[in-house]
Amino acid sequence: MRITLYAATLLLVVPAATAQLNVWARIAGKQYFGSATDNYELADKPYFKQLSNTLDFAQITPSNSMKWFATEPERGNFTFAGGEEIVAFAKKNRQLVRGHTCVWHSQLAPWVEAGNFDNATLSTIVRDHSYNLVRNFRGDFTHDKSTGMSSTAFNEDGTFRETVFYKTIGPSYIDIAFHAARKADPKAKLYINDYNIDGLGPKSTGVINLVKQLKKNKVPIDGIGVQGHLIVGHVPTTIKENLQAFADLGVDVAITELDIRMTLPVTPELLEQQKKDYQTVIAACRAVKKCIGVTIWDWTDKYSWVPGVFDGEGAALPWDEDLKKKPAYDGIVDGFTKL
Ligand SMILES: *[C@@H]1O[C@H](CO)[C@@H](O)[C@H](O)[C@H]1NC(C)=O
Ligand SMILES: *[C@@H]1O[C@H](CO)[C@@H](O)[C@H](O)[C@H]1NC(C)=O
């Protein structure tokens, strides 16, 4: 009852014109609502303007320019200019930055696998990469100071993915990366980030067991990033329970890469379902106190990664290719506001 009154009071004091995504996220007690972006997109003026709008977006994640291929294309040669451009954009707008990402088997610099390094050498490489990346951006992962550490470490059945890191080093490659990142920026919050861990299931259980293990071994882990790459009409029904199970481990939780794709062509029915699906995901984060914020994986269908990766699918974001709001936008607002 108290909650009802509180929300009702806030509804009265927030004029409709400012009822935008980050405004509602903050009212719901979250730290931010944000979007991913990529460097080349910033040359698009209308895109740039909307991304700078802190009423919708108070947080930015570089979608590519902090990945390994972009930051250490040759061993020991670190190139941070792309990431720095995104950080400068965010700082100018007083937006938070989530780093992305220290260790991931995909979009890796080819030399890391081609080198056939032994355990000790690859361990040093993982340590140096994580340290140098986070050290360069020390203090830039502002306010909530979040950085994705290790992405997609698991198979669907909850076993470790047989990446070059796992095969050569074993599961302790994750420990190595986290320790190095903590040393590089003691204030940055360190997350493990994976996909298809949105609802309860074996992969989510794998993450829970890993986090328990990391904590037991005194590996510094602060949060779990739930990517949220979802499909219209197939949003797991156990998102809230799953986020709560993560939070119950004593870590923060964030939805880090949300998009909800559909099989094309777009129809009014699919857009309505997508609106409901966005509402479901946002409401789940809202309901879990330690779910600190939500990031969409870019905000307009114009720059979504989906059509390039999933044949015949797309239209996954709350704005269409012409930068016009879709029903999904209102679905997000509903998720933050509807009781
Ligand atoms: C770094 O890159 C420069 C220019 O491409 C090259 O001359 C140098 O040998 C590289 N250093 C290492 C350690 O790979
Ligand atoms: C790699 O080396 C570490 C440290 O010596 C060891 O604990 C681990 O088991 C090794 N991994 C593999 C796959 O042999």
Side-chain angles (χ1 to χ4, degrees), residues 28 278-284 286-287 330-338:
Y278 267 98
Q279 180 181 345
T280 299
V281 177
I282 299 298
R286 177 171 172 234
D330 299 319
I332 296 172
V333 174
D334 289 348
F336 282 129
T337 55
K338 286 223 168 131

Side-chain angles (χ1 to χ4, degrees), residues 66 68 98-105 126-127 129-131 133-134 141 145-153 165 173-185 188-194 214 219-225 256-257:
M66 287 185 193
W68 199 313
R98 291 186 70 98
H100 177 78
T101 183
C102 284
V103 181
W104 188 30
H105 66 279
V126 165
R127 184 176 299 116
H129 183 79
S130 303
Y131 181 85
L133 177 67
V134 176
F141 301 135
K145 298 190 171 64
S146 301
T147 179
M149 279 305 307
S150 178
S151 274
T152 60
F165 304 111
Y173 81 87
I174 295 175
D175 310 30
I176 294 170
F178 274 85
H179 280 297
R182 178 63 99 227
K183 197 170 156 214
D185 184 351
K189 294 256 194 274
L190 308 179
Y191 279 62
I192 185 111
N193 190 49
D194 217 326
L214 293 175
V219 176
I221 175 158
D222 303 301
I224 301 174
T256 52
E257 309 188 12

Side-chain angles (χ1 to χ4, degrees), residues 239-255:
I239 296 188
K240 189 169 82 183
E241 290 75 10
N242 186 59
L243 296 179
Q244 191 59 56
F246 288 162
D248 289 345
L249 297 166
V251 294
D252 286 339
V253 180
I255 296 176

Side-chain angles (χ1 to χ4, degrees), residues 100-119:
H100 177 78
T101 183
C102 284
V103 181
W104 188 30
H105 66 279
S106 183
Q107 292 184 282
L108 190 58
W111 65 266
V112 180
E113 281 197 274
N116 289 314
F117 299 109
D118 63 17
N119 185 346

Side-chain angles (χ1 to χ4, degrees), residues 118-120 123 165-172 176:
D118 63 17
N119 185 346
S123 297
F165 304 111
Y166 182 77
K167 280 188 291 191
T168 313
I169 304 172
S172 66
I176 294 170

Side-chain angles (χ1 to χ4, degrees), residues 198-200 234-242 280:
D198 317 284
L200 297 170
H234 298 276
V235 168
T237 53
T238 54
I239 296 188
K240 189 169 82 183
E241 290 75 10
N242 186 59
T280 299

